[in-house]
Structures are given as structure tokens and as C-alpha cells.
Amino acid sequence: MKRTAFFISDGTGITAETLGQSLLSQFENIQFSKLLRPYVDTVEKARDMVQQINAAAEADGQPPIIFETVVNRDIHQELTLSKGYIIDIFSTFLAPLEQELGAGSSYSVGKSHSIQHNGNYQDRIDAVHFAMDNDDGARTHHYKEADIILVGVSRCGKTPSCLYMALQYGIRAANYPLTDDDMERLQLPAALKPYKQKLFGLTIDADRLASIRNERRPNSRYASFAQCEFEIREVENLFRRENIPHINSTHFSVEEISAKILVHMGIERRLK
């Protein structure tokens, strides 16, 4: 079965898309064509959206699913004229929250993602810069400022996990790749020893690692299954010997990896 899903907002659309994606993921037997439509902030744009929704309804033979976070009631009313099935996220949650709090919502556009109303914005940017500056063991003299340092073999998911934690949570995350030299000595690199309490290990299945590395360096020793298997075995031995907490990243998304790391390490997000 195929359905079209629109994420519509008079702001960035991040809230509508995030919640909508989470809900749609529960329907594994339905193939969704997902369309993000941010900044639908005039009635004229809403009328254009109605045409797009109706065209999708005609093509699919079924109403598109509409996740919307539209504050302006005139724009919302225009969207209700479409042939889509509308889930008004703000109305669904704000009305009962207003009742519980005994206060009315300001119904302002884009408050959760604006610079002016988000005192954590600079923290987010600083964390991203920190992750980029301390990527792949390029620099180690800022590790004292790190909240966490990810370690593992090359291409096991350290960099995307660091960047996600920085962008989503404001976490200052560095990462350090364990190389052949480290494995031959079978000991923790000197640069990491003072920060052992900040270390968290990532490992991965050898066949998955070989596949990833083959995309980068096809038919190389670096990408061979034997080399990948050797590196992973030695690194996992190192993790166990040094009591470094670790997880296998093979079957987890970056979001899942990051959440598991923060829970295990007891690190609170900086962005509230």
C-alpha cells in the first residue's frame, strides 16, 4: 500500500516532520511518499498546498496524511478545505495543556527553533564546532573540555554520532580512531589515558565494516574482511581489558547510538 504524507508548517516544519516520521514508522507495511513543506505562512501558499494535496489524493486514490503545525488559524482553515486527512499537532496537544496549566498559549510561530527565543543556540553551534575540531584524533589537547570521547576502529560510526550529539543535545563529543599501531601494542593510547572516565567504545560487525570501507577504498587491505575482523577483535579485547563501556553499532541508527551512549554514561543534554 502506498500513501502520501505531507509535513506542513508556517515555521521550519521540524516539529511536524519529527513527530510525523515517528508515527508513520509504526506502519511498516505501508510505503509513504513523504513531503516536507515549511514556511507555508500565507493564505496564498496554503491554497497552493491544497492543490498539491488534492493532486496527491487523485494520484493515490486515497487522502494524503497531513501533519501540520500551523499557528495561523486562517492558514489552517484553508488547509482543511483539501482532500487530506489532517492531524493538527498544535491543537491536539495545546488545548489540553492550556486546560491543565490554566493559561493560554501565545500561539507564536517558530518559538522552539528561533535564535531569539533559544538561549541554547550558541551552545549548539559551539558543540558542533568542538566535534568537528576534535574529529578522528586530529587534536587531543582539548579533551579536558569534552563531555565524552568515542573510540573504535575506523568507519564504525564515531563521527556521525559525535555530530548528532552536538547538534541535538549540545554535547561536546570528541572521537579517536584506534589504529593498527594501537592494536599491536594492545594498550590504550597515551593521549586517552588521562581521560579514561570519558571514553565510550563503538564496535561493529566485521562484514558490515568491510562493506562500508569498500565504498571508501575498494579491494584494499583496509577494507578486507580479514583486516576488519582482526581490528574489531583486538579493539573489543582492549575495551574489555580496560573496562571501557561499549556497544555494537551495526543495527542501530545514529539517533539510537547517541541515546544509548548518553544513558549509559549518565550525561545530561546541555540543550533544555
Side-chain angles (χ1 to χ4, degrees):
M1 186 185 300
K2 292 185 178 181
R3 297 289 288 268
T4 300
F6 287 88
F7 310 108
I8 301 174
S9 176
D10 44 11
T12 63
I14 293 173
T15 301
E17 185 178 29
T18 301
L19 181 56
Q21 292 271 28
S22 296
L23 294 173
L24 294 181
S25 70
Q26 302 303 312
F27 300 91
E28 298 177 357
N29 296 325
I30 302 177
Q31 182 179 346
F32 292 99
S33 174
K34 302 171 184 176
L35 303 171
L36 174 62
R37 297 293 184 265
Y39 296 110
V40 179
D41 50 9
T42 66
V43 172
E44 289 72 22
K45 291 180 182 179
R47 288 172 183 156
D48 178 66
M49 280 307 315
V50 169
Q51 293 181 8
Q52 293 184 44
I53 294 167
N54 291 347
E58 184 175 348
D60 294 347
Q62 300 180 82
I65 308 299
I66 314 299
F67 297 95
E68 60 122 305
T69 51
V70 174
V71 172
N72 185 287
R73 292 294 91 187
D74 292 335
I75 296 173
H76 167 75
Q77 190 60 38
E78 193 68 33
L79 293 173
T80 64
L81 302 177
S82 73
K83 297 178 181 178
Y85 176 77
I86 294 182
I87 299 174
D88 181 354
I89 294 172
F90 278 168
S91 291
T92 299
F93 295 105
L94 279 180
L97 193 56
E98 286 175 330
Q99 184 175 357
E100 172 63 26
L101 296 175
S105 164
S106 63
Y107 284 88
S108 300
V109 177
K111 279 215 165 184
S112 63
H113 301 291
S114 68
I115 295 177
Q116 291 86 351
H117 295 94
N118 190 344
N120 292 317
Y121 184 79
Q122 191 58 48
D123 290 338
R124 186 193 306 271
I125 299 303
D126 289 344
V128 171
H129 285 162
F130 183 89
M132 295 173 67
D133 288 343
N134 295 274
D135 180 49
D136 225 18
R139 301 179 183 177
T140 60
H141 55 281
H142 294 304
Y143 280 3
K144 62 180 179 296
E145 301 168 20
D147 295 309
I148 191 167
I149 304 167
L150 298 189
V151 292
V153 300
S154 171
R155 312 302 289 180
C156 68
K158 300 185 301 300
T159 295
S161 297
C162 285
L163 288 172
Y164 181 84
M165 286 190 285
L167 187 60
Q168 191 71 13
Y169 303 122
I171 298 299
R172 293 175 178 262
N175 75 79
Y176 188 100
L178 296 169
T179 65
D180 278 347
D181 290 341
D182 298 317
M183 294 165 208
E184 287 176 5
R185 290 192 296 268
L186 293 176
Q187 62 181 7
L188 205 61
L192 298 179
K193 287 182 178 179
Y195 309 103
K196 189 175 176 180
Q197 77 281 3
K198 296 183 179 184
L199 301 183
F200 192 95
L202 291 186
T203 183
I204 187 172
D205 290 353
D207 54 350
R208 176 59 179 155
L209 181 61
S211 175
I212 294 171
R213 288 183 174 183
N214 261 301
E215 295 178 4
R216 186 179 179 90
R217 298 184 198 169
N219 304 315
S220 63
R221 174 178 173 272
Y222 166 79
S224 70
F225 178 82
Q227 178 64 21
C228 293
E229 189 177 42
F230 163 74
E231 291 184 23
I232 292 167
R233 182 177 63 250
E234 295 304 312
V235 164
E236 288 179 348
N237 286 337
L238 178 64
F239 291 161
R240 284 189 287 268
R241 189 170 60 255
E242 296 289 343
N243 293 317
I244 297 172
H246 58 279
I247 59 171
N248 187 310
S249 65
T250 306
H251 302 294
F252 296 124
S253 66
V254 171
E255 294 88 345
E256 290 171 313
I257 293 169
S258 301
K260 287 175 179 292
I261 290 170
L262 297 185
V263 168
H264 190 98
M265 299 293 282
I267 298 174
E268 292 289 340
R269 62 186 297 164
R270 291 178 183 268
L271 306 181
K272 304 293 186 181

